[in-house]
Amino acid sequence: MSYLARITQNTPTAVVLLVDQSGSMSEPALWNGHTVTKAQAVATAINTLLAELIARSRRDGGFQTYYDIAVVGYSGSEVRSLLPSVGEAWFLTPEELADNPVERRDVQRIRRLPDGRSVTTVMRENVWVRPAAEWNTPMVAAFTEAHRLLKQWCGRHKGQPCYPPTVIHITDGEATDGGPERLAAAAKKLRSLATADGNTLLINVHISGAGSNPVLFPASAEELPKDRYARLLFDISSPMPALYRDEIALLRGTAPAAGREETPRGMGYNANMTDLVRMMNIGTATSNLLL
C-alpha cells in the first residue's frame, strides 16, 4: 500500500464521517470538564474537525479544494446527510462549508497563563452539525450509504493519483439492522473501494461516556477485552499506513517491538471524548501531503 499521494486542487481526497445518532447517544459524557450528552460532545468534536479542515485549505485569495467532505448520520431507520444542503450534494468542499454554517455563535474560552492567571476570550464559532439521539442503530445501512457515496467519488477520480478516502465511524453500540456477518460484509465492501494510491481507510471509534480502559489503535486483537463486539470492530477496521505510525505511537505511548513492524488498526474501543478528538486528528493528519 502507498498512501503517499500528494493532495492538490486537481487530486483531492475524501473524508466521510459516519455518526451514530441512536437513542443511547443521549447518555451523559464528559466534555472539557462539563457533563453533556454523547451526542452533544460528538457534534462539538466534529464541528471542531470541520473547522480544522477548512483552515488547512485556506490560502491567500481563497480556498484550495483539498477535501471533499461528507458527514452522514444514522438513527431509527434513516441514513441522512448532516451537512447544510448545497444543491443535492452530500460532499461539500472546504469553501462550501465555510460559506454555509447552520449557525454562528460566540463562545467563551478560558486559557490559563504560565503565571497561573486565567484569561477569558470570546470566539466566534461555526456550527455545521447539530446533536441528535433517537431510536435504533442502522449501522449496516450507514456503511452501505458510505459505499454508494465513495463509489461515485472514486469513479469521478478514476485513474487519478488521489490519496484514498478516509471514513471515520463514531458509535457507542451495535447495529440493529443486521448481525456481525452483514456488518463485516458491508465494511469489507466499503474498504475495497480504492484510488490509484490505495484502498479506503475505515476507522471505527467506539465511544463510552465513562471512557474506562480505552484501547486505541491496537496492533493485535489480544489488546482488546474478550468482547465479541470489540473483536468485530477490530476485524473490520483498516490497518493504518506508515504515514500515521509516529502520531499513533505518541498517542499510545509505545513503540514497535524491536525487530518487527507492528501495524495498528484504525479503531478505538471505550474511547472517551478526548480520545475521539485525538483519533480523528490522526485519521486526517495529511497536512504534509498538501500542495
Side-chain angles (χ1 to χ4, degrees):
M1 57 183 178
S2 175
Y3 300 95
L4 291 174
R6 294 294 183 179
I7 300 171
T8 72
Q9 286 226 92
N10 296 321
T11 56
T13 189
V15 176
V16 178
L17 305 179
L18 295 181
V19 187
D20 180 351
Q21 294 189 317
S22 62
S24 58
M25 293 293 284
S26 63
E27 295 172 355
L30 282 176
W31 176 262
N32 289 336
H34 300 283
T35 299
V36 297
T37 67
K38 293 178 188 174
Q40 290 171 321
V42 167
T44 301
I46 289 173
N47 286 320
T48 300
L49 176 63
L50 296 179
E52 169 62 22
L53 295 177
I54 290 169
R56 290 185 204 171
S57 304
R58 187 177 284 113
R59 295 292 186 272
D60 291 342
F63 293 88
Q64 301 292 313
T65 53
Y66 290 140
Y67 304 100
D68 290 316
I69 304 165
V71 184
V72 179
Y74 64 92
S75 63
S77 59
E78 183 184 26
V79 179
R80 58 199 170 273
S81 173
L82 299 184
L83 293 181
S85 175
V86 179
E88 297 182 357
W90 285 43
F91 280 112
L92 298 185
T93 65
E95 183 172 12
E96 288 170 334
L97 274 176
D99 290 344
N100 292 281
V102 297
E103 180 185 352
R104 288 187 173 95
R105 62 191 179 198
D106 292 332
V107 294
Q108 286 189 343
R109 301 291 188 203
I110 300 176
R111 183 165 56 93
R112 188 169 294 279
L113 301 176
D115 62 5
R117 291 181 299 138
S118 294
V119 176
T120 301
T121 57
V122 177
M123 301 178 62
R124 177 59 58 92
E125 181 179 79
N126 287 335
V127 174
W128 295 275
V129 174
R130 288 192 169 119
E134 57 181 0
W135 303 104
N136 295 329
T137 314
M139 191 182 297
V140 176
F143 279 24
T144 302
E145 182 62 30
H147 177 272
R148 181 189 71 82
L149 292 171
L150 287 176
K151 183 178 181 180
Q152 293 176 352
W153 188 90
C154 289
R156 290 195 297 272
H157 298 281
K158 187 174 182 180
Q160 296 178 329
C162 292
Y163 186 85
T166 300
V167 179
I168 300 178
H169 173 226
I170 305 165
T171 182
D172 71 340
E174 300 188 44
T176 57
D177 62 343
E181 295 80 9
R182 283 193 63 197
L183 184 65
K188 181 178 180 181
K189 191 175 180 181
L190 178 57
R191 296 194 316 272
S192 71
L193 295 172
T195 68
D197 192 48
N199 285 68
T200 294
L201 292 173
L202 174 57
I203 301 172
N204 291 286
V205 187
H206 170 269
I207 59 172
S208 166
S212 57
N213 300 316
V215 180
L216 310 179
F217 294 108
S220 165
E222 300 307 311
E223 297 179 38
L224 295 162
K226 296 187 182 301
D227 177 274
R228 174 185 58 82
Y229 185 55
R231 300 301 176 94
L232 173 63
L233 288 182
F234 180 87
D235 290 340
I236 68 174
S237 300
S238 297
M240 294 300 291
L243 173 69
Y244 304 105
R245 299 286 170 79
D246 289 345
E247 289 87 352
I248 290 173
L250 185 63
L251 173 64
R252 286 166 51 87
T254 61
R260 63 189 180 95
E261 183 76 12
E262 292 185 323
T263 303
R265 291 290 181 99
M267 75 158 291
Y269 191 73
N270 277 344
N272 61 36
M273 297 306 150
T274 300
D275 297 329
L276 170 63
V277 171
R278 291 171 176 169
M279 290 192 68
M280 290 198 300
N281 286 339
I282 289 175
T284 58
T286 53
S287 295
N288 60 333
L289 299 178
L290 303 181
L291 282 182

